[in-house]
Amino acid sequence: MDLSLNISSALRLLGDSSKTQCATYQEVLQKVTEDLKNDCKAADTTALENHVNDDGVVIQCHSALATLFIEYVRGGHNTSVLTSSLEDLNWPADRIAEVVREIESCRHLIHSRLASLGTYPPHIVDVDWKLNYQVRSSAGQEGGGAMYLVTLHTEESQGKRGKVTFSCSLAELSHLVTRLRSEAAQVMHHILI
Amino acid sequence: HTMVPPLSQEHKSQLSLLVKQDAAVLNDFCGLAAQFVKHGVHPKVFASAAHKLGVLPSQVEDAIRALVFLLSHSTQATATKMEFQDLITTLGFTEAAVNVLTDAYTDNEGELKEYLKKMGVQIPHYHNLEWRFDILVGSRALSHIAEPLITLQLSLDTHTCPGSQTNEDDGGGKQSEPVYDKLLLQTDPNNLVHMTSVLEEALHEARTHHSRRIHRYIK
């Protein structure tokens, strides 16, 4: 894994049991895991700031460990790469095992948060529909065939939600469903190969 | 049918330009009103007509819009030929002018009904769906991935109103085809299957006994 000098130095310090006590190491590990499992934007390091005599070293260790977690998932690495990287930083086996366990427990969550970053077209996650028959309008139109109102619910980057609404006749909805059916069949065929 | 609502003072004032014109000029204005309803009129046409009449282009445009209002609202109220003639006679049009306007009213009935439809409640309407199946292999935030992704282009008719044309490169002011909004969307295989299944249920609903009964009742 490609880690900067500052991150590597802070990690080396965190793994060194002669320089970072077990209790402090556990506190940092727990805080990083909690912050990444909850909303990352709400990460609060005030608890770590209680280490008043360390010139912010504990907070740097927190940032370095969080970076390690994120880079591990971002790069799609496996546990042997992580173990090897921490061994290079002279981490003891017990601390390596604990970090590997915690990273794997929140890997999926970090992955989905990273996937939601960046810009991409609205992603359809659900669909609603209504079927209407028009009785009359102010323009003088009377009667009319079946008219569907379809709403596609979408998710966009940074968790924004959107909607796309359109109307269509029975024939047009048949056309749309035929397209979607053919698309789904071909996609599934390729995925299963 | 409903009564034709009385014209506002503003509309009457805008139509006063037409009241002064002879039948031939009024016939030209009726032609422009018909064009306006179908596919809009280029501002150059207003300027050219204004130059010939010695008035401002805005007065010509206002007169045409007021004429379209008169014709469309009479159509909406399903006014008979006689009721329409009575209305325009009260506005001060001569007998020859009344005949020209009545012909425009009856000859363009279909186009005026279509125009009224466009003025009513409009919701973007489905036109087409194109799709593409991709595999996402990486991004700035995530590398070494293999995620199936479906990109969709949904074309919707958003019923852009005909009216004054502003296209500089289209001197004739004609709009031969509707313009569709093309929306770029994406989804994944699971949501694609889910969406297909939900919309299949929607199709089934129109074919139920209950739906057919409502449809027969409304017809």
Side-chain angles (χ1 to χ4, degrees):
Chain A
M1 277 193 292
D2 193 14
L3 301 168
S4 71
L5 195 58
N6 287 343
I7 300 292
S8 300
S9 303
L11 284 172
R12 195 182 290 275
L13 187 64
L14 184 65
D16 188 344
S17 41
S18 68
K19 292 188 179 142
T20 307
Q21 290 174 16
C22 187
T24 308
Y25 158 77
Q26 289 290 348
E27 194 183 343
V28 170
L29 178 61
Q30 198 180 357
K31 191 79 180 62
V32 165
T33 310
E34 264 171 30
D35 288 345
L36 292 175
K37 278 181 178 173
N38 300 329
D39 183 354
C40 304
K41 289 177 193 172
D44 177 9
T45 56
T46 47
L48 298 177
E49 287 163 11
N50 289 334
H51 296 269
V52 290
N53 294 323
D54 74 342
D55 299 324
V57 167
V58 172
I59 289 177
Q60 282 175 24
C61 289
H62 171 274
S63 303
L65 191 62
T67 304
L68 178 78
F69 272 49
I70 292 167
E71 281 300 311
Y72 172 72
V73 175
R74 191 179 83 87
H77 298 295
N78 57 35
T79 54
S80 60
V81 169
L82 177 63
T83 304
S84 157
S85 300
L86 290 174
E87 281 169 355
D88 290 345
L89 298 170
N90 298 327
W91 275 48
D94 58 332
R95 288 193 183 184
I96 291 177
E98 280 175 7
V99 163
V100 167
R101 194 182 59 239
E102 292 299 338
I103 274 187
E104 285 299 320
S105 76
C106 57
R107 183 192 190 111
H108 182 71
L109 208 56
I110 297 172
H111 186 279
S112 81
R113 292 226 167 97
L114 287 173
S116 74
L117 295 177
T119 50
Y120 47 86
H123 190 105
I124 301 170
V125 294
D126 203 358
V127 59
D128 280 329
W129 59 270
K130 281 183 192 166
L131 172 57
N132 294 323
Y133 286 95
Q134 182 185 289
V135 181
R136 191 168 166 76
S137 76
S138 59
Q141 295 165 265
E142 280 187 347
M147 198 54 70
Y148 285 91
L149 194 69
V150 176
T151 299
L152 305 173
H153 295 275
T154 60
E155 271 182 9
E156 299 176 47
S157 51
Q158 294 171 359
K160 282 190 290 192
R161 297 237 161 190
K163 277 188 225 187
V164 175
T165 299
F166 59 89
S167 62
C168 58
S169 63
L170 180 57
E172 285 158 347
L173 183 63
S174 288
H175 176 270
L176 173 59
V177 170
T178 304
R179 281 277 162 110
L180 291 173
R181 231 185 249 139
S182 137
E183 184 183 340
Q186 295 200 39
V187 165
M188 287 315 187
H189 171 72
H190 278 91
I191 285 174
L192 293 170
I193 285 176
Chain B
H1 69 266
T2 52
M3 290 284 293
V4 182
L7 292 175
S8 66
Q9 273 310 119
E10 194 185 352
H11 280 131
K12 285 180 187 172
S13 148
Q14 288 164 350
L15 283 169
S16 63
L17 173 68
L18 304 181
V19 172
K20 298 172 202 164
Q21 308 304 326
D22 62 36
V25 172
L26 191 58
N27 198 42
D28 289 342
F29 268 94
C30 288
L32 287 176
Q35 210 178 311
F36 185 99
V37 156
K38 275 183 235 176
H39 43 60
V41 173
H42 199 285
K44 281 182 193 170
V45 175
F46 297 138
S48 162
H51 180 72
K52 286 179 196 162
L53 297 174
V55 296
L56 295 170
S58 58
Q59 286 175 280
V60 170
E61 186 176 350
D62 286 345
I64 289 171
R65 286 182 183 275
L67 181 55
V68 167
F69 180 88
L70 171 68
L71 293 167
S72 61
H73 278 70
S74 300
T75 304
Q76 187 175 42
T78 57
T80 62
K81 211 164 137 174
M82 201 168 298
E83 284 164 343
F84 182 75
Q85 284 172 335
D86 288 343
L87 172 63
I88 56 181
T89 305
T90 61
L91 295 172
F93 285 100
T94 62
E95 197 179 320
V98 165
N99 290 336
V100 167
L101 286 169
T102 309
D103 285 345
Y105 177 60
T106 51
D107 293 347
N108 292 291
E109 188 183 348
E111 288 83 358
L112 287 164
K113 282 184 175 167
E114 278 303 310
Y115 177 75
L116 283 170
K117 261 192 218 175
K118 286 176 192 156
M119 295 296 114
V121 175
Q122 295 294 350
I123 297 164
H125 196 86
Y126 171 79
H127 172 69
N128 194 20
L129 180 80
E130 299 292 344
W131 60 271
R132 196 181 70 207
F133 175 40
D134 298 319
I135 302 286
L136 178 67
V137 295
S139 69
R140 187 181 174 194
L142 271 176
S143 56
H144 299 92
I145 50 178
E147 279 184 25
L149 205 59
I150 296 106
T151 305
L152 304 166
Q153 185 177 74
L154 179 65
S155 300
L156 299 178
D157 179 4
T158 50
H159 310 284
T160 311
C161 244
S164 287
Q165 289 283 316
T166 53
N167 293 332
E168 289 302 321
D169 58 343
D170 189 356
K174 281 202 173 172
Q175 219 176 14
S176 54
E177 289 175 6
V179 175
Y180 299 112
D181 267 5
K182 290 188 189 224
L183 301 180
L184 195 62
L185 302 165
Q186 72 176 37
T187 193
D188 54 82
N190 286 337
N191 277 308
L192 173 63
V193 168
H194 167 67
M195 192 165 51
T196 309
S197 158
V198 170
L199 292 179
E200 276 172 341
E201 278 172 24
L203 271 181
H204 178 72
E205 182 66 28
R207 292 167 188 147
T208 60
H209 175 65
H210 171 74
S211 260
R212 288 183 204 267
R213 197 155 44 94
I214 302 276
H215 188 202
R216 275 196 302 269
Y217 174 76
I218 289 169
K219 267 190 346 189

